Amino acid sequence: MRKRLLVSTGLLGAWLATGCESPPVPTDSDDPPAALPAPAAQDEEASLSASNCNQLAPKAVTASGDDGNVAANTQDDNLGTRWSAQGQGVWLQMDLGSVQSLTGTTIAWHRGNERQNHFVLATSTDGFTFTQAYAGDSALNASAQTTSFSARNARYVRITVNGNTVNDWNSIAETRACAAGAAPPPASTSDSGPVLPRLPYLQSVKQTSAIVAFRTAGACTPTVRYGEGTSLTNTVSAGVSGTRHAVKLSDLTAGRTYGYVVSACGSTTGLRGFQTSTPSGATKVHFTAMGDFGTGGSFQKKVMAVMSTPAWRSELLLALGDNAYPDGTDAEFQAHLFTPMASLLREVPMFATPGNHEYVTNQAQPYLDNLYLPANNPAGTERYYSFDWGPVHFISLDSNCAVGLASADRCTLAAQKAWAESDLAANTRPWTVAFFHHPSWSSGEHGSQLTMRRQFGPLFEKYGVDLVLTGHDHDYERSKPMFGDNVASGSQRGIPYLVVGSGGATLRPFATSQPAWTALRDNQAYGFLDVTVDGGTLTARLITSSNTVRDTLTLKKTLAKSAARVANSADEAAAEEAHDTPPGPTDDRAEPRVLRPVPPADTLESVADPEEPLPQ
């Protein structure tokens, strides 16, 4: 202590001599309490030991400020170091990395035998909204003290200190959160019990919620356990007995990874994980897209094998139509979509648009029955919708409706177009991607769908759509940037239109020689589109079933700063839920479906298209 005082005196003298520099910032040790006896000796290498606490090591620790004794010192298992800061209301915060079940907090106060600290404990699941768990004073001793509170789920623990009985210094040597009990063993990644006839698949994943859908062989009322990472601290019931189930997971946090396990009719699925959508402040997103894939055949399986590898595993998948050949029946959805893609769809949410083959059966009713998509248009239909993910606004259109395959009671071009304009006008995300089935620009067998081009192209140009993705023709084709009916001039902002109809259905020859507006086309390689957005750069690559990059498109833009894009994520999430009609409830069908074998649609004949109205 004498050396420390001599150093302080020397620094003070230097400050008085210059007359222009600020005095050194005092620390907790510079201002010892004269009225109390010297502290009992502490072993500077001692570790934190406390009773009544199943200690949790945080993933990160932060503070509102410090005097050079940083927050990380409270996690180094050394009672000789500390975090300290001066003033009323300063705080230290632990981030456990995932939501945990907590019952208290252990704190070893620096010089805790000399003064009582006035403090408040608060917990939070999202790091924004905190709930007070305790308010009071520390005990006047040097031991680690466990403060218990009612059990609760939380990811963040904040200790706010309001000075002490001697001065307004706030100093903590070590601290830990206390778990409710011994940590449960991690959930198995292997399925057990009878195999579910349809394994879980993710739908309508948002910032704060997600839907886990699946089917059981018999009627029962399943449950889903879920939580951040591998800590499955929440349980939700399907709520109704039946064979078709869609269970909503709530109170999630944007941009986080969650694990889940389904227990149903004696079956337990292995632990799987997914990421919630990110808020507008996020600058990155990774998604994939493909169309004309639902054959259940060998080419689809080869594409899926590459898409499922870690290198190409994305946050979400856009399905561009013809998702279940040849007629879009319930049995074909099972055999040609959910079975061959089961592994991927357990961890990657699929946002689909209907193809003409889905419309063969009751104007795509089985498509609507099998998928649980956003329904945020005035009609409350899942045929067309929009959603946000990080910096991208996605809009899905039902091109079948636009070209006349839907009856007026199901969908009309006028209603869809009016909704699309209002949706695009309200968008504040820096990037916009539109996707539907019938291509506005194509030199494939079907050619360009002029109704889609002329009805929606002007809207895309008016509201700054960056990329349009379609299917229908069984090939890959990328246009040059287009405006109106021509390649964009140097003064026009053109839009690239991509046909990605190479997901598995038998490829077809091009009807004509390559037109001048085509940048690249290919009818030899099966594959999918891999898209990354990173700030002002969008990169789209065609990945083939042999795991090669066949084409690359790069778009760049200067992102304008907008207050709307940095809105509070909690407000964003609330608006997202409020303006979205939830899908229909799970059914209560007591009798299981009889699923007969369905052969693969792996030939030209099996994926042949039904008659359609001529382009207008």
Side-chain angles (χ1 to χ4, degrees):
M1 181 63 72
R2 178 175 300 171
K3 181 178 180 181
R4 185 175 298 143
L5 288 174
L6 287 172
V7 171
S8 299
T9 302
L11 289 173
L12 179 59
W15 173 71
L16 290 173
T18 60
C20 60
E21 296 181 2
S22 300
V25 176
T27 67
D28 192 12
S29 296
D30 293 328
D31 189 17
L36 291 178
Q42 287 185 339
D43 179 3
E44 294 196 352
E45 299 303 321
S47 60
L48 182 66
S49 177
S51 59
N52 303 319
C53 181
N54 178 28
Q55 296 181 25
L56 293 172
K59 299 296 183 183
V61 60
T62 56
S64 57
D66 61 66
D67 65 347
N69 294 292
V70 297
N73 291 343
T74 65
Q75 307 300 318
D76 62 3
D77 224 20
N78 182 350
L79 293 174
T81 62
R82 68 184 185 278
W83 161 76
S84 54
Q86 190 174 24
Q88 299 287 317
V90 298
W91 50 261
L92 179 81
Q93 180 173 298
M94 293 179 282
D95 177 1
L96 303 175
S98 63
V99 175
Q100 309 278 349
S101 180
L102 306 181
T103 57
T105 303
T106 284
I107 305 173
W109 297 94
H110 175 64
R111 298 167 67 161
N113 62 326
E114 301 173 1
R115 56 203 183 188
Q116 286 184 298
N117 295 271
H118 315 302
F119 69 103
V120 175
L121 300 178
T123 62
S124 172
T125 58
D126 59 9
F128 296 100
T129 303
F130 283 82
T131 302
Q132 182 172 304
Y134 175 85
D137 296 332
S138 64
L140 191 60
N141 62 59
S143 302
Q145 302 159 27
T146 298
T147 301
S148 299
F149 45 70
S150 59
R152 67 200 54 216
N153 292 329
R155 171 173 174 165
Y156 301 89
V157 179
R158 178 175 290 183
I159 307 166
T160 301
V161 197
N162 296 298
N164 57 67
T165 52
V166 176
N167 53 37
D168 63 353
W169 276 104
N170 311 282
S171 303
I172 295 175
E174 292 287 313
T175 184
R176 303 289 188 276
C178 304
S188 172
T189 58
S190 300
D191 299 336
S192 62
V195 178
L196 293 178
R198 181 177 297 176
L199 289 167
Y201 56 105
L202 294 160
Q203 295 280 273
S204 288
V205 172
K206 304 174 189 174
Q207 292 186 40
T208 60
S209 67
I211 291 173
V212 177
F214 52 94
R215 288 187 180 178
T216 53
C220 63
T221 306
T223 59
V224 179
R225 292 189 297 124
Y226 67 98
E228 271 201 72
T230 59
S231 179
L232 310 184
T233 56
N234 303 294
T235 301
V236 60
S237 170
V240 63
S241 178
T243 59
R244 180 181 63 182
H245 309 279
V247 182
K248 186 173 184 178
L249 314 185
S250 302
D251 299 322
L252 310 182
T253 301
R256 302 279 171 76
T257 299
Y258 285 84
Y260 71 96
V261 166
V262 173
S263 298
C265 304
S267 300
T268 300
T269 64
L271 176 68
R272 294 294 186 275
F274 66 93
Q275 181 189 308
T276 52
S277 68
T278 48
S280 62
T283 59
K284 297 181 180 182
V285 66
H286 177 203
F287 65 93
T288 46
M290 65 176 179
D292 304 82
F293 57 85
T295 67
S298 58
F299 299 119
Q300 178 193 20
K301 292 176 182 176
K302 289 179 180 178
V303 172
M304 290 309 306
V306 177
M307 183 182 283
S308 298
T309 59
W312 306 118
R313 181 68 63 93
S314 64
E315 297 166 44
L316 67 152
L317 166 66
L318 306 182
L320 305 178
D322 286 358
N323 312 301
Y325 285 101
D327 300 323
T329 65
D330 188 83
E332 289 164 359
F333 267 98
Q334 176 65 30
H336 296 166
L337 189 151
F338 291 112
T339 297
M341 297 175 62
S343 177
L344 182 76
L345 298 183
R346 290 175 75 165
E347 298 188 281
V348 178
M350 182 180 73
F351 292 86
T353 198
N356 56 298
H357 280 267
E358 276 79 76
Y359 262 76
V360 171
T361 301
N362 194 14
Q363 299 185 59
Q365 192 56 48
Y367 163 90
L368 299 172
D369 291 341
N370 278 271
L371 302 177
Y372 301 86
L373 300 167
N376 57 349
N377 58 65
T381 174
E382 299 165 61
R383 294 178 189 270
Y384 53 94
Y385 59 91
S386 67
F387 67 97
D388 295 320
W389 197 295
V392 181
H393 180 69
F394 294 92
I395 179 169
S396 170
L397 301 176
D398 184 351
S399 58
N400 301 277
C401 168
V403 303
L405 293 180
S407 59
D409 63 322
R410 308 288 182 98
C411 178
T412 67
L413 170 59
Q416 182 175 204
K417 184 178 178 181
W419 168 81
E421 176 150 25
S422 64
D423 178 83
L424 291 170
N427 171 42
T428 60
R429 303 291 165 120
W431 292 92
T432 305
V433 174
F435 64 105
F436 46 90
H437 186 61
H438 296 79
S440 301
W441 290 92
S442 173
S443 63
E445 182 181 63
H446 295 100
S448 302
Q449 221 307 321
L450 298 183
T451 300
M452 289 304 296
R453 184 197 299 179
R454 291 171 181 166
Q455 292 293 328
F456 291 96
L459 294 183
F460 298 160
E461 293 158 7
K462 179 179 179 180
Y463 294 105
V465 170
D466 298 286
L467 183 67
V468 177
L469 305 177
T470 61
H472 198 39
D473 275 326
H474 298 177
D475 53 54
Y476 172 82
E477 186 167 18
R478 172 169 60 86
S479 80
K480 296 175 181 178
M482 307 305 294
F483 190 92
D485 288 328
N486 300 288
V487 176
S489 68
S491 61
Q492 295 170 323
R493 182 187 180 278
I495 303 171
Y497 289 77
L498 275 63
V499 177
V500 193
S502 52
T506 306
L507 298 175
R508 295 168 176 160
F510 288 105
T512 63
S513 59
Q514 180 169 318
W517 53 260
T518 295
L520 184 143
R521 66 180 190 173
D522 184 287
N523 67 343
Q524 301 299 310
Y526 293 90
F528 62 93
L529 195 71
D530 179 86
V531 185
T532 59
V533 174
D534 187 352
T537 301
L538 181 151
T539 304
R541 293 176 289 185
L542 176 64
I543 310 301
T544 71
S545 58
S546 57
N547 200 15
T548 59
V549 178
R550 176 67 180 88
D551 184 35
T552 300
L553 166 69
T554 301
L555 302 177
K556 290 183 177 291
K557 64 185 344 183
T558 300
L559 303 186
K561 294 183 179 180
S562 168
R565 290 179 191 150
V566 293
N568 184 284
S569 59
D571 294 338
E572 272 186 7
E576 186 180 57
E577 294 288 341
H579 292 96
D580 195 15
T581 305
T586 55
D587 67 11
D588 57 358
R589 183 179 286 121
E591 295 298 324
R593 292 172 173 81
V594 178
L595 296 178
R596 296 180 176 85
V598 178
D602 221 6
T603 65
L604 280 170
E605 293 76 18
S606 61
V607 296
D609 291 301
E611 291 295 325
E612 295 181 16
L614 294 175
Q616 300 296 315

